Structure formats: structure tokens, C-alpha cells
Amino acid sequence: MSLNNGQTLTVSGQDMTKNGSSNRAPWDDARTGLKPSTPTRKPKPPKPENAITIVVSSRVLFNMEKEQQIYKQHGMEEYIKYQVEHETEPFSPGPAFSFIKALEAVNTRLRELYPESEELFDVVLMTNNHAYVGLRLINTINHHQLFIERFCMTGGNSPIGYLKAYHTNLYLSADPVKVREALEEGIAAAIMFTPEKMKEVSETQLRVAFDGDAVLFSDESERIYKAHGLDKFFEHEKTHENKPLDHGPLKGFLEVLGKLQKKFYDKGQRMDCPIRTYLVTARSAASSGARALKTLRSWGLEIDEALFLAGASKGPMLEKIRPHIFFDDQMFHVEGAAEMGTVACHVPYGEAQRVTKKAIKDKEISSAPK
Amino acid sequence: MCWFSFSLQKDADHAVVIAVTSRAVFGSGADDDEVYGEGLAFPLLQALQRVNEHLLMNNPAELLLFDIVLLTTDSQQQQQSPRIISSTRHYGLEVGRFCFSSEEDFVENLLKNNVQLFLSTDRNEASQATQRGVLSALLDHQTASCPSEQLKVLFFGDAVIQPDTGPTPPSRQAARSFSAQLGEMQRRFTMSDSPLSIGLVTWRGGRDSCADALHTLRSRGVRVDEAYCLAEAPWGPILSVFRPHFLLSDGFGGLEG
């Protein structure tokens, strides 16, 4: 499938992308000279090729558990009927909600410093849902004052075509099948879980925590660990300290975060930067940790805090950091984090998936309604 | 001048009359002696027929069916009228009426035959028809030619939203009644077994524009299966993935050429 940016659409002979339409977008007023501080002016969404595109599914952005139950127990028609009947009732926030709010806080700061730039986060809602549910989702976005102007309601079709076409930098969903498909297509993606109780997180500083192996880095070292155990793994890593690891599925996302961070540093805002990144790894500072840091350096990437746990549980450390989102390739760590109130996402990539496949089947949420 | 295919007559009061140009249905170029090759709109015709088949399977006495009119304005093709008719028979295409007309008065023909939707690959023809109040859609390579089990119709939402003032142009009225009929057809089926798939895409404006378009279509009884709110992101991917047989702009805005 090819992306055609220059697509001119003609319908009944009229070029639909001309300015001839009498419908004015909310941001059209900006061109008539309103001051930036005017509260009613909505900023215009950036072009997909310039933006950092974060695609979220409706089930992780909002809490749709009750509706999910109705679908499971009573089927599609009942589910749709319920949604339409409750159309004006907004959904309550889901696990991705505070992450999205934090992205918007970063955008606000970026716009202040770089008013002409389109290098901003663009949040797109991607849902399997039928367009019938669309109005309730739009009402909910309005209610929570989220800045989401783009969405795809695919009525059951695969989102992969759209993810690729719109330069997706990160895809978050509760559906393991879709996330695996996205990873196979080279798109950074993760399965988001809902903690029993979510800990409070910052509203002004976006905090993103990453596991190292098989998330930022490839799973090559995981294989050693699996085959020979932790001690051998530490030894191997020390020996190969100066050889950079290969990259993993979320390296690109860390890269774009770093690019945005530099924009704040360039304006003298290093101390007050609204983005902070963390590496939370089972590697040990004494041995295997160096290879991780050297690899990042060889890629020209910075990470604000590196936490080497030498195999200890990640839950307590994450509880202290309070990231908006945490990525790990092992369900053991994802669950440990979620138990302590961190919004944790599983990246189903690499060696760890083969051994724990059954565990995943038991724990992961099943697919969204079609 | 129109020739009726007697065996395929539909009930005039209830049928949804769609006219397609033979230039769109049959390709020009390397053809068999007896029969034309398949053109751009060929899969579209087959999809319309499939909808009829499903409607009749549900209810053999169904009257709300698509009635296809094949319009030939191309003088070259007109000279080969028997070949056009035999081609439709060859491919098993259910054409209710064959109309042969000049470029000057084909619109009269459309009006006389109560055509509710006119489909052409020619921009001028589509424009002329719209100006006389006939809902038209321009077929092109991006859209019409994808074979699909379902008939796929994409509404362009920027035009669905009502303007505040002014009289309703006749083509808009035509659009409203056509979409209401599609809605009526959809209601004959459940969501999982429908031979008809309706999409909505809004390009200008954000989520509120899309919400308005969804409300408008719902008020006409149209069930939207897929919706895309682009906020000025590129169109291409939506067309490539949704693969509509034709797009409806609701006839709004007229045609400035």
C-alpha cells in the first residue's frame, strides 16, 4: 500500500481539498489575526510527517470495562444498543489517559518556545469500534478536554494500514494480536494493562520508563541469560562491553523523546525539562550495565536516569519514579509494576515470548469487539 | 432513446435507479470481436448486483433494489450498440435499461429515467448532471476498480454538514433521498451480514465536524460502519484501505468546474 501525500481528491468534479468549502475549522480563526492568548482558539493539529504520532486504542484511553462485559455476554447488537443509549455519558479515564494528558502538557510548553514548529505530539484514536460508538467517544473527548482531532473507527478492520500510512511513532492497545502485527511491521507498539489502583503521576512532567533488553536493545543478551543464567549473562556482557547492542523496537521512541528534550535544552530549560526518561533494567551496575550505557552513547542517545537492579524486582523502584508509562518485554515485570500502581505495557518481542507464551495467554486481555 | 430489458424490470416506485456510462463499465482498447473488455466500473456493477441478490435472498418479494441504467454517450460506442448489449449478457450484468444519447441531451435522459445516482469517469458529464440536480459521482482509478464482496460507499463528510442559510440545491435533495434509501437497504441486514458497507471521512475541521456529519447521516437513517476524521491529514491511506466503489460528496457546493 502506498502513501500518496499529494492525493487530490475529486468528487463530482470538484477538488475537495480546495479552500472553497464554507466550513471553517476551529483554527481558521487564527489566520484572521486573533491573539495567541485567546482561549477559544484551538491549535491546529500538525501534519503527520512532522509530528510525533501516538496512536491509542479506545480501550486503553478510556475505561470501557462495563461495555466489554456486555459485548462478551450479550453480543454485538446489545453492545451497540447500550453504547448509543449512553451516548452522552462520558467514559472515565483508562490507563493511557494520564500519559496522553502529559503529552499535551509537553505540547503546550513546546508551542510556547517554538510557536511555528510542527514537531509536536499528535494523538490519534484508533478503534475497532463501529462508528455508532463514535459519538460517545467524541463526547468523551470533549468532556475531558483532550486534544484529539484525528481518529479512525475501522468497524473491525485491521488498523495496520493506517498505522503505517500515518508515520506512527508509538501504538498502544489492549489487543495482543494487533500489537504483534504492528511490531512485525517495524512500528513501536506495546500492550497496555490496567493496574488495580493507579498511582498519581505528574501533570507537568512526562516520565517514560524503559526496560533495556528486548525493548530498547535487541534480545541478543536475553538469549544468553535464558541459556546460561544470570551470572553467565553478567560475565558475557562485561566481556563484550564495548560492542554496541543491536537496537530494539522502542529505540526509535526514545530517540524522538530525546530530540524533543534537546529543544528544551537549546532554550536553556534543562533543569525544568517537561520530559524525563528512565532505564529500569535487571542488568547490574557492576558488570553488565556498562554495555547498556555505552550502547546508548554510541547511538547518540541520552537517558536521564539509569537504574540497575541486578535482577531485583522493578515494582518498588517504579513506584518511586512514578512514570506515566513503563515498557518491558517480560510479563513478570509488567505484572510486578502494575501491582504497585504503575501503568505498565508489555512489548511482545524477542526471546522472552517463547517461554512464557502460555502465561501470556492466561493473563492478557482478549480482543476488542469487532 | 432507451431500450428496456423486459425481464429485468424493477418496480419504478421503489427501485433505486443508478446510471453508469458504458465507457466506465467497458474498457476501450484491446477487445474481443464480440464482446468488450472489463472497465473501471465493472466491479462496481457486480457489487450492486450482489446487493440485489442478498436483498432478494432475504425477501424474494423485495422491491427496494438497485435498477441499473447503462448510458452510452460515446458516439463510437453508440455505433456498436448490439455489442454493448451482448457484452452485458456475456458477463451476466443485470442492466434494466440501455440508453443512447448525445453529449448535449444525456441529462434529459437521466431526468426522464428518474436516475437517483449518476456515475461517470468524465468530469464534465458529472458536472453537468449535478447542475441539473442529479446526484453524481466521478469514478477514478483509485476507487472504482477494486473487487470486493461488499458494495463500499464513502461519504465525504465536509459536504454532509449543512450550511446555515440558503435554499437547498436540488442535487443536495437528491443526495439526501439517495442516502436515505441506502439506509433503508442497510436495515434489511444485520451488521455482520450486510452486503453494503458505508464509510464516512471528514477532512476539514476536527472531531466536532465529524460528529456533525455522523449526526446528519444518522438523521437520514444511514448506519455508518467506518468513520475517519483526518483533520487535514492525507486522504490516500483511507482510499487505499477502505477501497470505496464510489464517493458521495452530497452534491453540496456545486461545481465550479
Side-chain angles (χ1 to χ4, degrees):
Chain A
M1 190 202 64
S2 62
L3 168 63
N4 183 354
N5 275 344
Q7 177 83 34
T8 319
L9 185 82
T10 54
V11 184
S12 300
Q14 183 184 30
D15 180 353
M16 285 306 165
T17 56
K18 272 209 193 100
N19 290 327
S21 166
S22 71
N23 293 307
R24 287 165 63 83
W27 48 78
D28 281 355
D29 291 336
R31 296 192 206 127
T32 61
L34 283 178
K35 282 191 283 210
S37 56
T38 309
T40 52
R41 172 181 172 263
K42 261 207 235 182
K44 184 174 177 173
K47 289 195 199 62
E49 63 263 30
N50 297 336
I52 295 116
T53 303
I54 312 288
V55 181
V56 283
S57 80
S58 54
R59 277 198 300 152
V60 297
L61 183 58
F62 302 125
N63 181 334
M64 295 173 78
E65 270 169 41
K66 186 171 189 184
E67 289 77 11
Q68 275 289 101
Q69 282 308 309
I70 293 172
Y71 172 70
K72 280 199 188 120
Q73 286 165 17
H74 305 286
M76 175 66 87
E77 306 273 347
E78 277 304 307
Y79 168 82
I80 299 277
K81 187 160 164 268
Y82 182 89
Q83 294 280 29
V84 175
E85 276 167 12
H86 293 83
E87 203 162 81
T88 53
E89 283 172 37
F91 295 108
S92 52
F97 192 87
S98 53
F99 172 61
I100 301 303
K101 276 289 195 189
L103 296 179
E104 288 181 9
V106 174
N107 274 1
T108 306
R109 295 274 302 269
L110 282 169
R111 283 197 175 97
E112 280 166 17
L113 296 175
Y114 300 91
E116 300 305 317
S117 173
E118 288 213 317
E119 260 185 327
L120 298 162
F121 288 112
D122 182 30
V123 181
V124 177
L125 181 67
M126 178 75 67
T127 175
N128 223 6
N129 267 298
H130 201 268
Y132 260 134
V133 186
L135 285 166
R136 191 176 182 192
L137 287 168
I138 296 171
N139 288 338
T140 303
I141 292 170
N142 286 337
H143 171 83
H144 292 292
Q145 294 180 308
L146 292 173
F147 189 73
I148 298 174
E149 299 292 349
R150 293 188 172 127
F151 48 82
C152 295
M153 291 167 197
T154 68
N157 296 318
S158 166
I160 296 302
Y162 304 112
L163 291 177
K164 285 164 75 169
Y166 293 121
H167 308 270
T168 303
N169 294 95
L170 179 67
Y171 173 52
L172 300 172
S173 169
D175 185 338
V177 174
K178 293 196 182 66
V179 167
R180 287 198 174 92
E181 235 191 298
L183 286 172
E184 272 159 35
E185 296 290 338
I187 298 168
I191 306 159
M192 186 174 268
F193 291 87
T194 309
E196 279 273 343
K197 217 167 182 279
M198 283 186 268
K199 290 282 179 183
E200 241 183 71
V201 289
S202 169
E203 282 179 17
T204 52
Q205 185 184 61
L206 170 69
R207 294 186 189 166
V208 185
F210 300 88
D211 172 34
D213 297 285
V215 174
L216 288 178
F217 312 123
S218 74
D219 70 337
E220 55 197 86
S221 299
E222 293 264 334
R223 291 168 198 265
I224 313 257
Y225 165 60
K226 281 262 139 39
H228 306 288
L230 200 60
D231 290 336
K232 267 279 180 241
F233 163 72
F234 288 157
E235 244 180 69
H236 178 271
E237 289 307 285
K238 199 154 171 73
T239 317
H240 293 86
E241 197 174 286
N242 293 307
K243 178 167 182 268
L245 292 156
D246 217 346
H247 69 86
L250 260 67
K251 178 221 177 193
F253 184 58
L254 176 65
E255 205 161 2
V256 301
L257 290 177
K259 215 171 157 210
L260 291 180
Q261 281 179 310
K262 279 207 180 67
K263 294 185 83 163
F264 288 99
Y265 303 162
D266 289 346
K267 295 273 181 173
Q269 296 199 11
R270 188 177 273 269
M271 294 313 289
D272 193 27
C273 186
I275 301 172
R276 196 161 178 82
T277 55
Y278 304 81
L279 173 66
V280 182
T281 173
R283 285 175 179 255
S284 142
S287 54
S288 49
R291 191 178 183 195
L293 291 179
K294 288 188 179 185
T295 302
L296 287 172
R297 197 182 304 151
S298 76
W299 292 343
L301 297 184
E302 284 181 25
I303 201 136
D304 294 303
E305 281 186 45
L307 300 130
F308 299 103
L309 300 174
S313 170
K314 297 185 182 180
M317 185 57 69
L318 288 164
E319 206 264 327
K320 288 199 172 59
I321 296 171
R322 301 287 178 96
H324 292 87
I325 194 168
F326 166 58
F327 298 99
D328 202 301
D329 68 307
Q330 296 191 44
M331 276 308 291
F332 169 72
H333 290 300
V334 171
E335 282 163 357
E339 263 159 40
M340 298 199 66
T342 298
V343 174
C345 301
H346 181 225
V347 183
Y349 169 79
E351 191 58 36
Q353 314 321 308
R354 303 207 296 160
V355 177
T356 55
K357 225 178 192 155
K358 188 188 182 296
I360 292 168
K361 271 208 174 78
D362 292 343
K363 303 276 167 89
E364 283 177 0
I365 301 166
S366 57
S367 290
K370 288 238 153 247
Chain B
M1 171 178 51
C2 287
W3 297 350
F4 290 71
S5 185
F6 290 109
S7 56
L8 295 167
Q9 277 316 286
K10 306 282 189 298
D11 184 313
D13 290 333
H14 297 91
V16 180
V17 185
I18 298 189
V20 195
T21 57
S22 51
R23 197 190 294 116
V25 178
F26 299 120
S28 46
D31 304 325
D32 178 302
D33 270 328
E34 310 275 305
V35 154
Y36 281 107
E38 295 177 18
L40 199 65
F42 199 84
L44 187 159
L45 237 60
Q46 293 180 312
L48 289 169
Q49 240 166 265
R50 242 187 313 269
V51 174
N52 281 354
E53 281 161 27
H54 277 87
L55 285 164
L56 289 166
M57 268 196 300
N58 273 2
N59 174 14
E62 179 66 73
L63 296 175
L64 179 67
L65 298 166
F66 287 120
D67 186 8
I68 316 275
V69 172
L70 195 64
L71 175 72
T72 307
T73 52
D74 183 304
S75 51
Q76 239 185 346
Q77 281 191 336
Q78 275 184 25
Q79 280 154 28
Q80 311 243 357
S81 49
R83 196 173 164 202
I84 290 179
I85 297 169
S86 62
S87 298
T88 61
R89 241 176 246 141
H90 172 88
Y91 292 112
L93 295 178
E94 283 181 18
V95 174
R97 265 164 280 178
F98 296 88
C99 288
F100 299 89
S101 175
S102 68
E103 285 288 354
E104 286 76 43
D105 46 324
F106 79 92
V107 184
E108 277 308 320
N109 234 321
L110 295 177
L111 293 166
K112 254 192 294 199
N113 282 284
N114 192 30
V115 167
Q116 283 141 294
L117 174 66
F118 172 56
L119 301 167
S120 172
T121 45
D122 185 305
R123 181 186 295 259
N124 273 322
E125 281 180 354
S127 172
Q128 283 179 60
T130 305
Q131 278 165 26
R132 298 283 304 278
V134 179
L135 178 65
S136 313
L138 190 63
L139 301 172
D140 71 15
H141 294 273
Q142 296 283 149
T143 55
S145 58
C146 180
S148 158
E149 278 307 303
Q150 290 175 312
L151 174 70
K152 308 204 76 175
V153 181
L154 188 62
F155 279 92
F156 177 68
D158 294 29
V160 170
I161 302 159
Q162 322 267 359
D164 290 341
T165 56
T168 312
S171 56
R172 169 159 274 259
Q173 273 289 62
R176 275 190 206 155
S177 58
F178 180 76
S179 42
Q181 287 183 302
L182 283 184
E184 188 64 49
M185 277 183 182
Q186 272 180 314
R187 276 191 288 285
R188 305 284 202 257
F189 305 98
T190 63
M191 277 191 305
S192 44
D193 70 351
S194 179
L196 187 53
S197 172
I198 295 186
L200 167 70
V201 58
T202 55
W203 189 77
R204 192 170 288 280
R207 61 180 187 262
D208 293 326
S209 301
C210 193
D212 286 344
L214 284 170
H215 273 298
T216 302
L217 286 172
R218 187 156 75 179
S219 68
R220 288 191 205 155
V222 177
R223 184 179 70 207
V224 178
D225 297 299
E226 298 177 42
Y228 303 93
C229 181
L230 295 181
E232 299 187 27
W235 274 102
I238 307 300
L239 295 184
S240 302
V241 185
F242 184 81
R243 302 292 221 158
H245 287 105
F246 56 88
L247 294 125
L248 289 177
S249 72
D250 215 36
F252 173 64
L255 296 161
E256 276 78 48

